Amino acid sequence: MAAMAITKAITVGKIRPAAEPLHVLGNHGAYEVFPETEEEIAAVLQAAHAHSLSVIPMGGGTKRGWGGTLEKADILLCLSSCRGIVEYSPGDMTVTVKAGTTIREIAEQLAVHGQMLPLDPFWPDAATIGGVVAANDSGPKRLRYGSARDHVIGLRVVYPDGRVIRTGGKVVKNVAGYDMSKLFIGSMGTLGVMSEITLKLRPVPPCQSLLLLAFPNADFPAIRSFVLAVLDSTMEPVSLELLSPALHQAMNGRDGYALAIALEDGEKAVRYQEEWLIAHAPPGTEIRSWRQEEAAHWWSRFYRMFPSGVSPADRQAAEMALKIGSRNLDVLELVKTCHDLGERHGLAVEGHGGLGHGISRVYVKGDPARFAAYLQEVRTAAEERGGYAVVQHASLAVRRQLDVWGRPPAGFSLMQGVKRAIDPRQVCSPNRFVGGI
Amino acid sequence: MAAIDPLVRELSQIVGPDAVLYRREDLIAYECDGYTVRKQPPRAVVFPSCTAEVSAVVKHLHERHIPFIPRGAGTGLSGGAIPLGGEVIISLVRMKRLLHVDYENRLAVVEPGFVNLKLTNAVAAKGYYYAPDPSSQYACTIGGNVAENAGGAHCLKYGVTTNHVLGLEVVLADGEIVEIGGVPDTPGYDLLGLLTGSEGTLGIVTKITVRILKNPEGKKTVLAYFDSVEEASRAVSDIVAAGIVPAALEMMDKTAIEGVEAGNYPVGHPKGLEALLLIEVDGISAGIDDQIARIVEVCQNRNVSEVKVAASEEERARWWANRKTAFPAMGAISPDYLVQDGVIPRSRLPEVLEKISRISARSGLRIANVFHAGDGNLHPLILFDARIPGETERAVQVGSEVLKACADAGGSITGEHGVGIEKKEEMRYIFTDEEIAAQIGIRDVFNPQNLLNPDKLFPKPGRCAEMRTAPGEAR
Amino acid sequence: MSAPATKSHYLWEDPPDEEKYSACVHCGLCLESCPTYLETGHEQQSPRGRVHLIKAVAEGKIPLSPGFEQPVFTCLDCRACETACPSGVQVGSLIEAARGQIRKAMPLTGWRALLHAVFLRGVFPHPSRLFALGKLMKLYQRSGLQALARKTGLLNLLPGHLQAMERVVPAVPDPVMKRYPEVIPAQGTPRGRVALLTGCVMDVLFGDINEATVRVLTRNGYEVVVPRDQRCCGALHIHAGDREQGKILARRNIDAFLHARVDSVIVNAAGCGCALKEYPELLQNDPAYREKAVQFAEKVADISKFLAAHGYEKPTGRVEARVAYHDACHLAHGQGIRAEPRQLLREIPGVAWVEMPLADRCCGSAGIYNLTHPEMAGKILDEKMKAVPEQADIIAMGNPGCMLQMMMGVHRHGRTQRVVHTVQLLDWAYQREAAPQEERGM
């Protein structure tokens, strides 16, 4: 029945029954469908809508372990063939790309014109712009550059019934009608399938540097007052990311907490800030620095620390990642709490968090049976501070035992209303998002 | 004298008698906002002083199916706060407290009636500021800024209101109070992003958490005079192409310069200029001079007639006051004006400006251009005299043509002023009926009875009425 | 949209000028400058709202009604909106014209009419009666009657704001008009001949300021004429909508001062200075006086502006005090004079400058506003006092009405500051050159 419906919508050559029937992360599909154009995406969704089939969109598959309790939907809509730049106007500093284009590919094309997409999500080699935007993924550099909601200026979305709806536009400033793009950013594929994304760009800064300030004796009051001094100064760090001891160890082979401070600006401005930071670092701080390609290399290693749907299967099953949102300064306490709780629960925990932007991430390795209790305590710690903790990566088995998203947020009935208005038949990524949306 | 509307008594019981206006003379003062082409007095104006009162008023109106409009300072330029018939205006100006500033976490919590510029003034002593700076910032409220997703001269580098709102307390159409956001990326759909810029049709904002920023270490401002609009607009693209992200990049043409020089804040620009650019660069002091040198060089390559750097903070402030009061200064050279707000890709500035000047010539109405050139946000000011029969209609028509030109260049009909009642029909220039229906579908989730600021934003149903919602879907 | 031919409800002479109200584009940038809008949040109590209503009456949308009268008369006429307005709308002039129309359509009745007849028409235009009133006050203060009245609680019969004012009225000296000859010779090398507008309130309540002004001028080489035929400037009448009386006074003053053949007419009361400068507008439809009014207005100069423009001898005597400055609305907004008095004060040796935030925010005095709208005036005064720096010893300003109001504020808020006129401080400094050991500033 499902197969029949799909074959009417798209060439048979672009459909295949799932190669491996099960995937440790779930979020699979009975059929994998590979559309190459927006029309094909629309045709597939139209068919799915008509026959009430479920569809999970997927780009590079890096976020397969994020949310959802389905082992497989009827259709896994693989967008990896919908790739490439649709329109790039360097003079306007905007680009329109197809959803299945990887972050790396976009970066390479833009670099030719000295421009960049100011987003630093994980696994840029594999992650696609569609996936990054749908999951609202971001990295430490959002401190200075912001996150997807600050860069996406327009979308083409294939609605769950196959209609193509444009949101926003192609200009950097636009308040015509509702800011509909925002709804789809971070919607986890529950409101349709983005086919094209238009983004605002920035010039590549002429000079890049990374200062790593390590605090071997974990003097938190000193770290805190240093961070406050930086935030209260006129310095313009691009990241102010706190690394937990295990992550610091894994990245740099040293012990203790550390701060990764990226500086990206003109040469003089970067040097001046380096000097300022070094001069103001608390006594006893170990300072290392990397410049240009070396700094970029450090970051590319960092972006691969995250457990992902493309890492080996055995690793995937034994790992969990959490995303924690809090007020900026609470990151300090929360990263420490996550680290300490890891020790108590006998789990290996690598964590980092952005002081100044409020997002922390924790990678947990060990006995999956202990994950639930660990999550609960981390979540309580975050909620006590007005924040939240969600599971950003876990195997299907683990996810089924956990509350991935925590309790429904304020305004949840409105979110349900939005889902009903756009996807009344629950075609897209059913049950993948908060509160069972 | 007609009997007093019983609704007035009921509302007075909620907010107190001194917080309801109902006399005809008083209501006339609320018949329009910063957009004066259409006028209609409200049924009453009510001034709640806290969230609970807003909620109680909304509940009362909701139960009786009486439409209502939230209003701040009424500086909006698209008629978003103008009644269209029988609405009650809920004025938020008495909710004007700064509730809390948290410097460590770089945020401030304000009530909706708090005036934009006052936030910067309140945190200035510690070296902070609130980035969105619409030209009306002396008077406009942050609640209104959220409703309109207001921009300003400095959004080129720092983004518009939506990039600075961290959390909202909202009274929904039925009076329910919801708090959204607060910490980044809260799980669930981005209601914060959706509400910002929804022009008062999805809820009434009663508390706003915004980001505050540290003042940049250095700041330099350049004024460049040109003998040709085309050269000036090419200089704009060149500056951006040089890899510089200016904090602001503003342009005024000949007629606009005539206006500001006749207004209350003249700078003394030389006579006979065709265009000027006001360019500001900020950031770490070290290296700013290099950027300025680069900008001067770019301008020289584009045959600038004079280019100078502000010598003092006073001079800089004078240049900005001149620019920021440019719209209303047109009152000094024309009895009425209509300001448009089209956006185009920056690289198409020269051709669109040329098109606008053709529209102006054809219509016989003067158009002054003063705009955020850096982000392609044009503000053509159509000068007219409402006392001359038919001229208002002509001005409105010219405005629409200008927006068509922007839309045809791949742009938008509004960059920061909102759609309101002014640009409802022009929504069709950039959205299909289906796309408009998709937005109305979202409105219906929040505002199912269309009581909140009705008949704004979307074109009249007509062609749009029968568009399909979803095949086979009963609604 | 374009209105059908409508009928204006302005039926009398001097209606609000269409050119002036059509300059308003309804942008709202004036809102935050308006003390009554800040207090009420009501659009009709804002400059933009009032102009909008004035226009609505002209368009026949609303009549000259109490609902129109109220916002138009609640305006302080402080003109702060004129400073804020990007398109230069002359709100003050529109308000005054509208008041004229309202008073024609709805003449005052009851005690207000009586008050108006007695004071604005009966006393102020007539120097002799004004001085008699001054004498009465002096008698009241010196005879022990004041003490008696305060002790017996007789004063409690007066409305609260009048009681408050009674408490702060300074010891009244004799008016300059009475004590000085009509022409006072210059000291040293003569530099010119100027006339002094003594003003009504100024000369009766603050004769010492006029005296200080005369001393400062003669000291700087000016021969000072005090024309005997001068009258009250008429500002209070125009503000109250009594344009007829205002015009009568204006014509008398023009005659008196032009007859004096002086280079400049010096004014030390901001409200009066503003009114004098606006005579040409007031008399624009008077063929006999139109040109004379222009000729006269060109001679009018505020004392601080005059000294700054023509130069003056910098004092060497010291006034050891921390001084804050309040911008009188009719100096700052009405005449654009802000820098000159500040400069003058800061150049007095010994003066430590204390910046007053929102220095150009109205104090609520506004002519007789504090008498007609005591409640609003009180709230505005309270806001003003919040901005007055605690650490200042002296609050200086250039308008007698403000001085009285600020004295009330100081009293009401338990402050100890001394309220003085700018020119008084300069005068003290000059006097201390001769006797440096004399009493110090306070």
Side-chain angles (χ1 to χ4, degrees):
Chain A
M1 160 81 180
M4 279 260 295
I6 308 164
T7 48
K8 280 189 186 152
I10 192 168
T11 337
V12 179
K14 295 173 183 174
I15 311 169
R16 65 174 189 227
E20 31 167 353
L22 294 176
H23 191 286
V24 67
L25 298 179
N27 288 330
H28 206 36
Y31 292 89
E32 292 175 351
V33 180
F34 294 82
E36 284 171 16
T37 63
E38 185 180 85
E39 291 75 43
E40 288 177 345
I41 299 173
V44 171
L45 285 180
Q46 207 172 358
H49 180 81
H51 298 90
S52 288
L53 304 178
S54 56
V55 177
I56 295 179
M58 189 175 89
T62 53
K63 298 165 190 68
R64 200 166 192 164
W66 193 350
T69 50
L70 282 186
E71 186 172 300
K72 56 176 196 274
D74 296 314
I75 299 168
L76 183 69
L77 194 65
C78 302
L79 296 161
S80 49
S81 306
C82 293
R83 63 196 299 166
I85 288 184
V86 181
E87 192 181 337
Y88 175 30
S89 169
D92 297 320
M93 285 218 282
T94 57
V95 69
T96 300
V97 292
K98 291 189 190 172
T101 320
T102 63
I103 299 295
R104 188 203 180 109
E105 188 180 335
I106 297 171
E108 285 170 353
Q109 300 264 358
L110 301 181
V112 176
H113 295 274
Q115 294 181 350
M116 67 172 192
L117 172 63
L119 270 175
D120 65 330
F122 298 91
W123 294 94
D125 297 345
T128 62
I129 186 68
V132 167
V133 172
N136 189 20
D137 198 11
S138 64
K141 296 183 181 178
R142 77 182 269 170
L143 170 64
R144 185 91 199 137
Y145 297 136
S147 61
R149 73 198 293 284
D150 301 308
H151 308 305
V152 172
I153 55 176
L155 298 172
R156 287 180 73 95
V157 183
V158 184
Y159 261 37
D161 60 7
R163 279 181 293 166
V164 176
I165 298 293
R166 292 166 309 152
T167 70
K170 290 190 171 176
V171 283
V172 297
K173 213 168 152 195
N174 186 0
V175 296
Y178 295 144
D179 192 354
M180 295 279 284
S181 307
K182 294 284 192 292
L183 274 182
F184 299 92
I185 299 168
S187 65
M188 299 300 295
T190 59
L191 295 178
V193 177
M194 288 177 262
S195 55
E196 284 179 16
I197 298 168
T198 305
L199 300 132
K200 260 200 303 203
L201 307 174
R202 286 180 70 100
V204 173
C207 184
Q208 274 199 55
S209 136
L210 170 67
L211 279 190
L212 193 78
L213 276 58
F215 311 96
N217 39 15
D219 178 358
F220 269 77
I223 300 175
R224 187 183 159 85
S225 53
F226 171 68
V227 165
L228 279 178
V230 176
L231 289 173
D232 195 44
S233 74
T234 50
M235 298 302 107
E236 299 182 350
V238 168
S239 76
L240 197 53
E241 197 79 2
L242 180 73
L243 311 184
S244 80
L247 186 60
H248 182 35
Q249 181 64 243
M251 282 295 299
N252 308 306
R254 308 278 177 91
D255 213 20
Y257 285 87
L259 276 175
I261 306 179
L263 301 168
E264 303 184 355
D265 206 327
E267 165 102 30
K268 283 182 193 165
V270 167
R271 297 296 163 255
Y272 166 74
Q273 293 181 84
E274 284 174 346
E275 282 163 24
W276 190 97
L277 290 162
I278 291 167
H280 288 78
T285 309
E286 290 173 6
I287 298 169
R288 297 168 70 188
S289 73
W290 293 271
R291 286 178 181 175
Q292 303 298 87
E293 291 75 24
E294 286 181 347
H297 181 69
W298 189 95
W299 283 112
S300 72
R301 282 205 303 128
F302 179 86
Y303 297 134
R304 288 198 297 269
M305 297 304 286
F306 193 88
S308 121
V310 292
S311 48
D314 55 337
R315 186 180 157 191
Q316 290 173 6
E319 287 184 349
M320 174 173 77
L322 307 182
K323 175 180 179 180
I324 302 162
S326 69
R327 283 179 308 173
N328 302 347
L329 261 284
D330 288 338
V331 163
L332 202 58
E333 273 303 301
L334 285 168
V335 168
K336 182 173 187 304
T337 304
C338 291
H339 169 79
D340 296 348
L341 285 172
E343 290 189 342
R344 234 173 355 99
H345 287 267
L347 295 166
V349 171
E350 294 168 358
H352 59 95
L355 294 154
H357 68 66
I359 297 293
S360 307
R361 287 194 170 79
V362 182
Y363 316 139
V364 187
K365 287 172 223 167
D367 180 0
R370 298 181 181 177
F371 287 175
Y374 179 80
L375 168 67
Q376 193 46 54
E377 288 198 50
V378 170
R379 183 167 277 158
T380 306
E383 287 176 355
E384 276 170 359
R385 291 169 174 82
Y388 63 87
V390 300
V391 178
Q392 196 174 348
H393 173 98
S395 69
L396 178 63
V398 169
R399 292 206 306 274
R400 282 177 168 171
Q401 291 159 22
L402 295 175
D403 183 359
V404 168
W405 295 101
R407 59 168 176 240
F412 182 64
S413 62
L414 294 170
M415 295 176 193
Q416 287 176 304
V418 169
K419 170 75 176 176
R420 262 198 308 275
I422 296 178
D423 186 13
R425 296 194 185 171
Q426 307 254 5
V427 170
C428 287
S429 305
N431 204 27
R432 190 161 184 184
F433 203 15
V434 61
I437 289 178
Chain B
M1 189 85 192
I4 291 178
D5 187 347
L7 177 68
V8 168
R9 202 191 57 241
E10 294 156 19
L11 293 174
S12 300
Q13 279 166 3
I14 301 173
V15 293
D18 73 328
V20 185
L21 296 179
Y22 57 89
R23 268 197 316 210
R24 171 146 174 87
E25 292 88 342
D26 296 346
L27 299 183
I28 287 275
Y30 287 86
E31 67 180 357
C32 63
D33 53 16
Y35 179 72
T36 55
V37 170
R38 273 188 83 155
K39 299 186 187 91
Q40 171 96 38
R43 181 166 167 186
V45 187
V46 52
F47 297 81
S49 53
C50 61
T51 305
E53 282 186 2
V54 175
S55 165
V57 167
V58 167
K59 257 184 202 141
H60 191 86
L61 297 172
H62 176 253
E63 281 163 13
R64 283 153 191 79
H65 302 282
I66 298 166
F68 49 96
I69 304 175
R71 175 176 161 130
T75 57
L77 293 167
S78 55
I82 300 178
L84 292 168
E87 295 97 326
V88 168
I89 283 183
I90 301 181
S91 168
L92 281 317
V93 296
R94 289 200 181 167
M95 295 174 67
K96 57 174 180 182
R97 286 176 303 165
L98 168 61
L99 297 173
H100 174 61
V101 181
D102 177 349
Y103 289 100
E104 290 194 354
N105 289 298
R106 294 187 172 210
L107 57 89
V109 185
V110 299
E111 289 186 325
F114 192 67
V115 169
N116 174 300
L117 187 60
K118 285 191 172 172
L119 181 50
T120 289
N121 290 344
V123 298
K126 297 214 164 158
Y128 289 80
Y129 74 110
Y130 175 59
D133 63 337
S135 293
S136 55
Q137 69 181 137
Y138 308 98
C140 64
T141 64
I142 294 184
N145 294 167
V146 171
E148 300 297 317
N149 191 9
H154 290 81
C155 341
L156 176 56
K157 181 170 176 184
Y158 293 100
V160 294
T161 302
T162 196
N163 307 112
H164 298 272
V165 173
L166 301 173
L168 292 175
E169 179 187 79
V170 188
V171 172
L172 300 176
D174 60 359
E176 190 193 340
I177 303 166
V178 201
E179 280 201 56
I180 54 176
V183 291
D185 301 358
T186 34
Y189 301 133
D190 184 1
L191 300 184
L192 206 59
L194 184 67
L195 274 152
T196 306
S198 62
E199 305 195 21
T201 63
L202 301 183
I204 300 182
V205 168
T206 50
K207 205 197 287 179
I208 306 144
T209 306
V210 294
R211 198 194 304 280
I212 51 172
L213 302 182
K214 189 77 188 173
N215 285 330
E217 185 182 60
K219 194 181 273 183
K220 285 255 164 98
T221 310
V222 176
L223 192 55
Y225 297 134
F226 290 86
D227 298 327
S228 132
V229 171
E230 163 135 15
E231 292 280 25
S233 32
R234 299 213 180 278
V236 169
S237 299
D238 292 353
I239 289 167
V240 175
I244 296 168
V245 185
L249 211 180
E250 303 285 300
M251 182 162 160
M252 283 195 245
D253 75 356
K254 191 178 187 166
T255 312
I257 296 167
E258 185 197 329
V260 291
E261 290 299 296
N264 224 353
Y265 296 90
V267 158
H269 301 303
K271 299 255 179 276
L273 284 180
E274 286 297 322
L276 68 78
L277 294 179
L278 181 62
I279 311 152
E280 190 156 281
V281 177
D282 68 13
I284 300 293
S285 296
I288 283 197
D289 286 340
D290 299 348
Q291 293 187 50
I292 292 291
R294 200 66 228 286
I295 288 170
V296 169
E297 190 189 322
V298 165
C299 290
Q300 279 159 351
N301 291 341
R302 289 294 175 190
N303 298 316
V304 68
S305 65
E306 187 187 346
V307 55
K308 52 185 177 183
V309 181
S312 65
E313 180 53 35
E314 288 69 39
E315 187 165 34
R316 179 186 166 267
R318 256 190 317 119
W319 292 356
W320 273 113
N322 178 267
R323 161 62 190 89
K324 288 205 170 188
T325 53
F327 296 1
M330 298 304 144
I333 60 165
S334 167
D336 297 276
Y337 70 75
L338 192 69
V339 54
Q340 272 308 350
D341 182 35
V343 194
I344 51 165
R346 173 193 304 124
S347 57
R348 307 197 51 181
L349 263 176
E351 78 185 81
V352 175
L353 287 178
E354 174 57 34
K355 227 170 173 178
I356 291 175
S357 91
R358 279 205 304 272
I359 294 171
S360 167
R362 204 167 53 228
S363 69
L365 293 180
R366 290 213 290 166
I367 298 182
N369 283 296
V370 40
F371 53 95
H372 311 304
D375 40 29
N377 190 185
L378 304 184
H379 290 314
L381 294 143
I382 302 148
L383 309 183
F384 69 103
D385 186 343
R387 293 167 299 186
I388 299 172
E391 200 155 301
T392 305
E393 290 80 355
R394 212 137 45 93
V396 169
Q397 181 54 35
V398 166
S400 189
E401 284 174 33
V402 166
L403 294 185
K404 186 77 172 59
C406 293
D408 291 346
S412 170
I413 58 166
T414 173
E416 53 186 7
H417 296 172
V419 175
I421 50 179
E422 183 197 21
K423 298 184 271 288
K424 290 197 294 189
E425 291 303 321
E426 285 74 12
M427 282 283 275
R428 295 189 205 278
Y429 293 163
I430 52 171
F431 291 119
T432 64
D433 286 354
E434 262 187 350
E435 286 160 350
I436 290 167
Q439 299 194 26
I440 292 175
I442 297 301
R443 182 192 67 194
D444 291 346
V445 172
F446 287 76
N447 180 14
Q449 299 180 45
N450 199 11
L451 293 176
L452 255 164
N453 211 1
D455 304 323
K456 304 284 163 65
L457 261 170
F458 303 112
K460 281 221 170 59
R463 285 191 293 154
C464 199
E466 296 135 69
M467 91 235 71
R468 60 197 179 120
T469 46
E473 219 48 60
R475 291 179 63 86
Chain C
M1 275 199 255
S2 58
T6 46
K7 247 177 89 183
S8 169
H9 285 113
Y10 297 127
L11 304 175
W12 295 269
E13 205 190 335
D14 293 352
D17 184 349
E18 181 177 353
E19 287 302 317
K20 285 182 184 155
Y21 58 70
S22 28
C24 173
V25 292
H26 217 251
C27 69
L29 292 204
C30 54
L31 295 174
E32 287 293 305
S33 70
C34 177
T36 58
Y37 175 78
L38 289 179
E39 203 50 53
T40 60
H42 290 169
E43 185 75 28
Q44 77 276 19
Q45 300 288 13
S46 75
R48 170 175 80 169
R50 291 183 178 115
V51 172
H52 193 73
L53 293 185
I54 287 170
K55 193 173 167 189
V57 172
E59 289 169 353
K61 278 160 109 173
I62 49 171
L64 286 166
S65 60
F68 176 62
E69 178 192 18
Q70 198 233 346
V72 167
F73 273 87
T74 307
C75 171
L76 293 147
D77 202 5
C78 73
R79 317 254 172 126
C81 48
E82 296 189 4
T83 299
C85 178
S87 40
V89 177
Q90 296 170 39
V91 182
S93 153
L94 286 168
I95 291 281
E96 285 163 8
R99 287 178 178 178
Q101 299 290 312
I102 291 169
R103 276 297 151 263
K104 289 287 182 191
M106 295 181 284
L108 288 171
T109 55
W111 69 272
R112 285 173 194 277
L114 189 72
L115 206 70
H116 189 91
V118 170
F119 283 96
L120 287 189
R121 290 221 160 178
V123 176
F124 281 94
H126 308 286
S128 55
R129 297 181 198 167
L130 207 58
F131 297 143
L133 185 73
K135 268 193 185 147
L136 219 62
M137 284 205 62
K138 194 152 67 180
L139 185 70
Y140 168 73
Q141 288 177 335
R142 293 194 189 155
S143 63
L145 265 178
Q146 185 173 44
L148 187 72
R150 287 181 181 175
K151 215 151 85 187
T152 55
L154 199 65
L155 285 172
N156 297 342
L157 296 176
L158 285 175
H161 60 288
L162 285 181
Q163 287 181 41
M165 203 171 282
E166 186 274 344
R167 271 181 230 118
V168 299
V169 166
V172 178
D174 273 335
V176 160
M177 186 80 100
K178 289 269 185 193
R179 286 190 293 143
Y180 282 77
E182 183 158 6
V183 179
I184 308 146
Q187 289 175 21
T189 332
R191 294 183 61 197
R193 179 176 155 100
V194 299
L196 175 69
L197 178 91
T198 52
C200 39
V201 179
M202 187 60 113
D203 214 26
V204 169
L205 290 182
F206 297 102
D208 47 344
I209 296 172
N210 276 342
E211 229 180 314
T213 311
V214 169
R215 277 197 298 265
V216 165
L217 285 168
T218 50
R219 149 97 191 215
N220 279 287
Y222 295 99
E223 181 183 31
V224 178
V225 188
V226 187
R228 291 298 189 248
D229 285 345
Q230 64 172 296
R231 291 290 179 272
C232 162
C233 68
L236 297 179
H237 307 81
I238 298 161
H239 291 181
D242 187 354
R243 295 179 78 83
E244 276 163 29
Q245 187 67 41
K247 286 177 187 174
I248 293 170
L249 293 168
R251 291 190 197 103
R252 287 218 51 168
N253 279 327
I254 291 172
D255 288 340
F257 284 99
L258 288 183
H259 185 254
R261 308 202 175 283
V262 291
D263 309 321
S264 298
V265 176
I266 305 299
V267 189
N268 53 18
C272 305
C274 210
L276 298 187
K277 284 183 179 170
E278 287 168 4
Y279 279 178
E281 197 186 320
L282 182 69
L283 298 170
Q284 60 184 341
N285 297 324
D286 182 338
Y289 275 85
R290 194 166 29 211
E291 271 153 41
K292 280 200 261 181
V294 173
Q295 204 187 337
F296 166 76
E298 279 166 2
K299 292 182 186 291
V300 174
D302 183 77
I303 178 72
S304 62
K305 176 96 178 179
F306 179 80
L307 293 174
H310 296 86
Y312 64 99
E313 216 178 299
K314 300 285 177 321
T316 53
R318 297 181 72 80
V319 179
E320 303 286 347
R322 286 162 296 188
V323 176
Y325 178 76
H326 158 71
D327 285 290
C329 295
H330 285 88
L331 264 194
H333 305 302
Q335 304 179 58
I337 298 172
R338 295 160 183 271
E340 295 85 349
R342 286 181 166 82
Q343 185 67 20
L344 191 152
L345 289 168
R346 297 180 83 150
E347 285 187 357
I348 296 173
V351 162
W353 190 252
V354 185
E355 200 59 53
M356 183 190 306
L358 302 170
D360 66 352
R361 182 61 51 83
C362 182
C363 62
S365 157
I368 51 166
Y369 190 91
N370 46 9
L371 300 178
T372 56
H373 294 78
E375 200 185 332
M376 181 67 82
K379 286 180 183 164
I380 290 167
L381 176 59
D382 290 343
E383 284 302 311
K384 181 80 212 181
M385 289 310 295
K386 280 187 202 160
V388 173
E390 296 269 1
Q391 70 271 30
D393 306 314
I394 286 179
I395 316 168
M397 62 204 72
N399 191 43
C402 301
M403 290 178 66
L404 208 54
Q405 178 81 343
M406 295 295 277
M407 284 171 180
M408 283 215 295
V410 165
H411 186 268
R412 192 149 119 173
H413 288 258
R415 302 283 192 89
T416 54
Q417 281 122 351
R418 193 158 167 193
V419 176
V420 304
H421 194 283
T422 309
V423 79
Q424 276 181 300
L425 274 166
L426 179 60
D427 181 45
W428 293 350
Y430 282 147
Q431 295 194 25
R432 272 164 216 182
E433 289 170 350
Q437 74 282 14
E438 239 180 62
E439 59 142 346
R440 291 159 52 86
M442 309 295 63

